[in-house]
Amino acid sequence: MNPVARPRDHEYHLPRVLREGALGELLAGFRLARQDHLHTTLWVLDTFDWRLFGAGLRAVLDGERLRFQHLADGRPAGDSAAVAPPVFAAAVDPGVCDGRLAQILSVRALLPVAGIRLARTTYGVLNADDKTVARLRLEHRRYLDPEGGETAPWERVLVLEPIRGYGATRKALAKVLQRHFPEHRPARDICARALEACPRRPGEMAGRLDMVLDPAARADESVKVILGRLHAAMADNSPGMLAGLDPEFLHDYRVAVRRTRSVLAQVKGVFADGITRRYREYFGGLGALTGPARDADVYLLALADYRALLEPAHGPALDAFADFLRERRAREYRRLREELSRPRHARMMAAWGDFLTRPVPRRPAAANAARPVKGLADERIWKMFRRVMKEGRAITAAAPPEALHELRKSCKKLRYLMEFFASLYPAGETTPLIKALKRFQDNLGEYQDLSVQMEQLAGFEAEMAREGRLAPQTRQAMEALVARLEARHGVVREAFDERFAAFSEPAVQAAFAALYHAGRD
Amino acid sequence: MDILATYNIKGGVGKTAAAVNLGHLAALDGRRTVVWDLDPQGAATFYFRIKPRIKGGGKGLLRKKRDLEGVIKGTDFPGLDLIPADFSFRNLDLALADARKPVRQLLRLMRPLAEEYDLLILDCPPSISLVSENVFHAADALLIPLIPTVLSLRTYQQLQGHLATKGFRAVTLLPFFSMVDRRKRMHLDTMASLRDRDPRLLDTVIPYASVVERMGIHRAPVTAIAPQSPAAVAYGRLWQETKKRLAHS
């Protein structure tokens, strides 16, 4: 490819602190000029679920700027004034990352994932024309975890930064430096070093449902593995949720809670009845407790869409509604923190974690506990699929919204079961079925969301009126909004038949039967 | 890789100052940039404190004895490299004329640089020659500094006529006013008259400033030695405008 490789930085480990004058003495034959001195703490930022990393980017915050760079080659991807984390896309210059930052982050905030305390003095090595023909950077680095805790002892290095076209100088410097500092290696990216020293790995998510189950393993053991992942997801998201860093922490926490309840309710007879009942109730309560805070998040996030739905003249009238929602969000998050800081919550979560890691009983009383998990999964998924079909066929033009709501819940249960047990089936066969189900769910989901929003917006309106903060323009705007949502509601409802027909077509039914009901009647 | 050339038939209009300062600004903006100093006088090379010498000269490059990548020098500014001038470039025309497809030779040499660079800036010698025809063939855009005088506008017209006759229609022209003295009535009138006639004219105007001349003393871009000066700010606007036009060309 390229015959002349760009010269790479090389670093020399310093066994002791190098005094200012000592470097000049070591390199007596060279002209050194001190060019820069920097004493700073750098923070590597990413979202909790590593969205920048996933897009091949990195953000580094120093005292002055928030700089973005390409992971592949370290090339800059724009910078913006420094802002303290949590950093949302709206607070950053929209031109960075080729204008894609808002799309990459969506609602997530950039948070510290690792830090570096850095003292760096840069010396230029000059030729007779005062041209810099190489640079030497004397660096003292200390790597930090996201909370600022030190993860490694001070690192003292001298970095030789060659300049292209001045190979002779590089060689001459390297020769002298190697003699004095025998421990050396190609320079490493300090941000990558800082991340290595931290407990969380880029791209890694503890709560991801990517576990691989053994089809022949006992059902109770396998279900504990699934619930263990969900428990980890709650633990992972809990601090960010309580700090209210960005709305996804609460959202992901709630999804893990809902999935846990769903496992306990759907995969029956694997644990002792008392355990199942107690924790179903507990996680049910947790779902209800976190609901109002999530609602506030949802409506705040929907505001931009709402404004787009309305005539431009109505837009400013929604500002009062936005204020109402922000107050509500603050109140609900406060309540959430209070409730979740009660000792009972910590006790229940810890006991649940203990239960999940405890070995299963050798002779279990629960009927399905010792069965191979694959058979149980087949049975549960097939049963839920048939229920979805039955409920779907019963939806006529005259069917009440509640019937659609029930069907939506059944679809969600089916989807969760398929996802929990996906590793028991060939990946190529589950994925298209999950996709088909998802397309159908999108229709049901939108219908249900619109129903809820229309009702809840009316509720908010009444509440604002009671509090005496509903100006006539705001009332008008909110009523216009409900009318818009109602129109959309009708369109979505009409699309139902077509979506259900697509999901229930013979090929899809046959594929479900072949995968989850093979060899049975 | 975008290829941008600073070009004018006339000399002393601010071509090299534009090439050097835009190169510096592009690198600051995150573009991996290389400036090729095609002018045997080597002013851009001098500004970067680099020796104006290429082993084997222009002939060595054209006869494939040496790759362009092998003669690149790093400047004092991260992300900005230079292909130095060589005194033998004064005979580059003759060397090009000996080659097959003489108008395409420089583009052939530049192509491999696309792997390493996002932007190549050609700082061209004045006059119309085989070298400039190679530039018209290779460049995505010509940045043309114009001093607002009658003679300068006349050479701009000559250039447009030449490009049309020779069929170089693909290259985008980006003329801009350079070395402008706003105290001179004639400068203001000339600028207004061209602005009415030529929609391609960039909005940015580079003022006549002694700080630009001081580049020769400090041997560095004005955007590095006096980044807050009106001239540096004007180059900043010129870069933003050029970047936008390049994206749409």
Side-chain angles (χ1 to χ4, degrees), chain B residues 88-123:
Chain B
S88 71
F89 284 1
R90 72 193 186 282
N91 298 323
L92 204 53
D93 269 350
L94 301 175
L96 284 168
D98 287 344
R100 268 161 37 97
K101 297 185 181 165
V103 178
R104 301 183 182 188
Q105 289 304 310
L106 293 189
L107 181 59
R108 173 178 68 76
L109 292 179
M110 293 177 222
R111 272 204 187 103
L113 299 180
E115 273 179 37
E116 274 192 87
Y117 295 98
D118 303 314
L119 178 66
L120 167 60
I121 300 180
L122 301 169
D123 184 24

Side-chain angles (χ1 to χ4, degrees), chain A residues 1-4 6 35 73 75-79 126-127 129-133 135 161 163-166, chain B residues 27-30 32 48-51 67 69-70 72-78 81 115-118 219:
Chain A
M1 293 286 277
N2 186 356
V4 186
R6 191 171 278 276
Q35 292 182 333
D73 51 10
R75 215 156 27 94
D79 62 324
L126 308 182
N127 68 7
D129 289 325
D130 284 341
K131 160 91 178 79
T132 305
V133 288
R135 282 192 189 87
E161 188 187 312
I163 288 179
R164 187 170 186 165
Y166 298 93
Chain B
L28 284 178
D29 210 359
R32 297 166 303 173
F48 288 120
R49 299 171 185 271
I50 291 170
K51 289 194 175 63
D67 284 322
E69 292 113 303
I72 296 174
K73 298 276 183 189
T75 69
D76 286 5
F77 308 98
D81 291 343
E115 273 179 37
E116 274 192 87
Y117 295 98
D118 303 314
R219 298 184 73 178

